[in-house]
Amino acid sequence: MSRQMYIGKRVLIIAPHPDDETIGVGGTIVKYSAQDSEVFVLTVSGHLPPLYSREDYDKTVSEARSAFELLGVTQSEFLEMPATMIDDKPRHELNGEIERIVNDFGPHIVFCPYPDRHVDHRLVFDSAMVATRPIGVGRNIEIVATYETLSETHWNAPHIEPNFTPNWVVDISDHIEKKLNALRCYKSQLIDFPGPRSIEALEALAKFRGTQAGFGYGEGFHIVRMVS
């Protein structure tokens, strides 16, 4: 895809939890923000009671804001739904919350989670598909694409569930260090290698996706809809 597609765009990343945006789209966020594009991150849920304490949630939000600053995110919103309990919210309300952001921000590009092993990812994907339909503001969306999230996407059961197969790879060779440094902001979420949410694992995935497309480092996406 041409360099022109990265200049002056409004890019929306829909993240089920804090850190998903950095793991899945961090290098691409930097690439867009470096070329005068506006990047909005919508974080749907997080580490809230009853499974976690409010202090846990506040810490991850603080970590997210530090990561956003490094990546060049220009706008963000946190919906504050308890993690793994998104399904407790009536589906039309979740659809409406995401649709509100789509309508207000008017994105050209939307990245949403691949419907993988995590129930929150599947629910957010479903609502993103509703909110980005090609009607109204959605008619101006040029690309809707899903991203992969280490520790969830690569744990789908082969052939029983859909497996993530990228059909778009973004070259992030010039931005890999910022992506990794942004992930380092999430100290409460990182685990030691060979854990999937480790710096080493994220760098290895970026190398693998990059070499699939002839780059040093890449981020893979599966395009749901693209118009031009």
Side-chain angles (χ1 to χ4, degrees), residues 4 48 77 84-85 96 98 101 111 116 133 146 150 178:
Q4 190 66 31
L48 284 160
E77 184 169 330
T84 75
M85 295 184 176
I98 295 177
I101 298 298
F111 295 99
D116 58 33
R133 290 172 296 181
T146 63
L150 273 175
K178 276 195 176 180

Side-chain angles (χ1 to χ4, degrees), residues 12-105:
L12 174 64
I13 292 89
I14 303 171
H17 316 101
D19 82 358
D20 289 336
E21 81 296 323
T22 301
I23 291 171
V25 201
T28 302
I29 291 174
V30 178
K31 188 161 192 165
Y32 274 107
S33 64
Q35 300 190 58
D36 299 321
S37 288
E38 298 178 62
V39 180
F40 191 123
V41 174
L42 171 64
T43 308
V44 176
S45 73
H47 296 73
L48 284 160
L51 297 181
Y52 305 91
S53 70
R54 180 72 200 196
E55 289 74 21
D56 290 331
Y57 178 75
D58 291 342
K59 183 173 186 178
T60 57
V61 169
S62 177
E63 292 170 341
R65 295 193 190 283
S66 296
F68 293 172
E69 186 173 352
L70 283 177
L71 296 174
V73 173
T74 50
Q75 298 182 58
S76 63
E77 184 169 330
F78 298 84
L79 296 183
E80 297 199 14
M81 300 181 195
T84 75
M85 295 184 176
I86 293 178
D87 205 22
D88 290 350
K89 192 175 187 67
R91 193 62 55 86
H92 72 277
E93 292 184 15
L94 176 60
N95 295 349
E97 290 279 17
I98 295 177
E99 193 168 27
R100 171 178 60 83
I101 298 298
V102 171
N103 289 338
D104 291 348
F105 184 56

